[in-house]
Every structure is written in C-alpha cells, then in structure tokens.
Amino acid sequence: IPQKSGLGGGSMNAASILKHLIKNKTININKKEIVEICRLIGSDVILGLNSTYSILTSKNDIRCFKNIKNFYILIVLPNFGCSTKEIYSKVKKFHKAKFKQPNKNMFEINFLKKTKNQLESIAFSKYPKLKFIKSKLENINNPIFVRMTGSGSALVAYYRSKEKCKKNKKKFNRKYK
C-alpha cells in the first residue's frame, strides 16, 4: 500500500508483519497482548489482523459483520501524496463519531452514499487536482459514489458490477493517465 495514499499503508504493513510473526510462531502472545501491541503502533493496526468486514468504533472496539454485499472498486492514486499530519492540522472542528453503535446497515449503499469524508474539503483546497480527479470519476458511467480515502490522496469509485468497474478503469486510464 503506497505511503500518503490514505489507505492505511503503514498500519496495514505493521499488521501484516505482526500477523506473520504470530502465524509462524516466531512470537507467542495472547489476544490481550496482541491488542496492546496494535494500540502501541497505531489505533487502526488491529483492523489489519482481521480480513472481515469490520468497523473500529470510537472506543477502539472492533465490530465484525458477516454476509455483507460486495462492491467493486476502482482506486485512482495521483502522482503525489497527502501528508496525514498536514491535513489533520487544518481541521478546525472534529465532528462526532458516527460509528459509536455500529451495525450491518452501515454497509448498505444508502447509508454509505450519505456519509462524507470531512477531510476532502481540506485536501481539495490544498490539492485542487484531487477535486478534478474526483469529478472525472463521478462522471464516468455513474459509479454508486466516489470518496477520497482517509486524509488522501487516493480516490475510490464504488460499483455494483465487476464489468462496469473494469470498463470504467479502461476509460479512465485512456483519458487520464
């Protein structure tokens, strides 16, 4: 996962290494110790140990869900990255967490379409090209929705069909190298 893409690269890389060490019995630790190690590295590292549909609550609890409908995604990574530290330093007011009581409905299209990435406006003002790319993604064969990842810089278009996603990838690659 590229650095400065907003995809949790550092956290997921750390989780992959920890998972490997545990699986190969290089280290022998219990669940409580695993959770503590993850928290010391970063609050979202724990999510990388589990490949299920999970939500990390505002209280650092993990809720896992089953039988969630899949989306097909097109990820566009521009040739620059956003500094998480820099983007967060521009936040004037943190909004209340919406995931205090996570439930399966949070994976439904209507819920996801209504949510917003509050860091987009900050990233778009610093990097206008991100806003341009998002607009182009939104206008290529109508994805369900498009969001910037975390603090940026990747943008993700969500689709219902694999064919439509592949077709749009070809179109986007042809038009916008």
Side-chain angles (χ1 to χ4, degrees), residues 14-23 27 29 34 37-38 49:
S16 294
I17 291 168
L18 184 57
K19 199 177 193 177
H20 175 79
L21 295 173
I22 294 167
K23 182 181 175 186
I27 58 173
I29 55 178
I34 291 169
I37 289 170
C38 288
L49 297 179

Side-chain angles (χ1 to χ4, degrees), residues 88-105:
Y88 272 95
S89 74
K90 306 274 188 235
V91 175
K92 290 183 172 60
K93 181 182 177 189
F94 287 95
H95 297 280
K96 267 189 165 180
K98 292 182 181 182
F99 303 123
K100 284 187 179 182
Q101 299 295 321
N103 59 61
K104 194 172 180 177
N105 294 337

Side-chain angles (χ1 to χ4, degrees), residues 142-156:
N142 301 319
I144 302 167
F145 59 94
V146 178
R147 291 280 183 286
M148 182 182 78
T149 57
S151 55
S153 67
L155 291 142
V156 183

Side-chain angles (χ1 to χ4, degrees), residues 160-171:
R160 292 179 195 206
S161 83
K162 187 176 186 176
E163 294 75 30
K164 194 173 186 181
C165 186
K166 282 183 173 183
K167 183 179 174 184
N168 292 338
K169 178 185 176 194
K170 284 180 186 175
K171 274 187 174 182

Side-chain angles (χ1 to χ4, degrees), residues 27-172:
I27 58 173
N28 187 14
I29 55 178
N30 61 39
K31 283 189 178 188
K32 189 176 180 181
E33 291 169 319
I34 291 169
V35 169
E36 185 56 33
I37 289 170
C38 288
R39 284 191 180 145
L40 288 170
I41 299 169
S43 63
D44 58 348
V45 172
I46 194 78
L47 289 172
L49 297 179
N50 197 342
S51 60
T52 63
Y53 295 93
S54 306
I55 293 178
L56 183 63
T57 70
S58 55
K59 294 182 179 181
N60 286 329
D61 295 325
I62 295 178
R63 291 283 319 272
C64 298
F65 300 90
K66 294 181 181 180
N67 301 321
I68 302 297
K69 186 175 180 177
N70 288 327
F71 294 104
Y72 298 92
I73 60 171
L74 172 59
I75 302 174
V76 177
L77 182 64
N79 60 357
F80 60 88
C82 297
S83 162
T84 300
K85 183 178 180 180
E86 187 176 348
I87 297 297
Y88 272 95
S89 74
K90 306 274 188 235
V91 175
K92 290 183 172 60
K93 181 182 177 189
F94 287 95
H95 297 280
K96 267 189 165 180
K98 292 182 181 182
F99 303 123
K100 284 187 179 182
Q101 299 295 321
N103 59 61
K104 194 172 180 177
N105 294 337
M106 291 178 160
F107 294 96
E108 295 294 323
I109 290 171
N110 289 333
F111 178 83
L112 294 170
K113 283 172 77 171
K114 289 178 191 174
T115 62
K116 302 289 180 212
N117 179 345
Q118 297 170 349
L119 300 175
E120 276 187 7
S121 60
I122 295 168
F124 290 175
S125 67
K126 177 140 181 75
Y127 304 99
K129 188 172 182 180
L130 285 176
K131 188 175 185 176
F132 174 80
I133 294 169
K134 181 178 180 182
S135 174
K136 293 301 175 191
L137 280 170
E138 289 172 329
N139 292 306
I140 293 181
N141 287 337
N142 301 319
I144 302 167
F145 59 94
V146 178
R147 291 280 183 286
M148 182 182 78
T149 57
S151 55
S153 67
L155 291 142
V156 183
Y158 294 80
Y159 299 92
R160 292 179 195 206
S161 83
K162 187 176 186 176
E163 294 75 30
K164 194 173 186 181
C165 186
K166 282 183 173 183
K167 183 179 174 184
N168 292 338
K169 178 185 176 194
K170 284 180 186 175
K171 274 187 174 182
F172 196 83

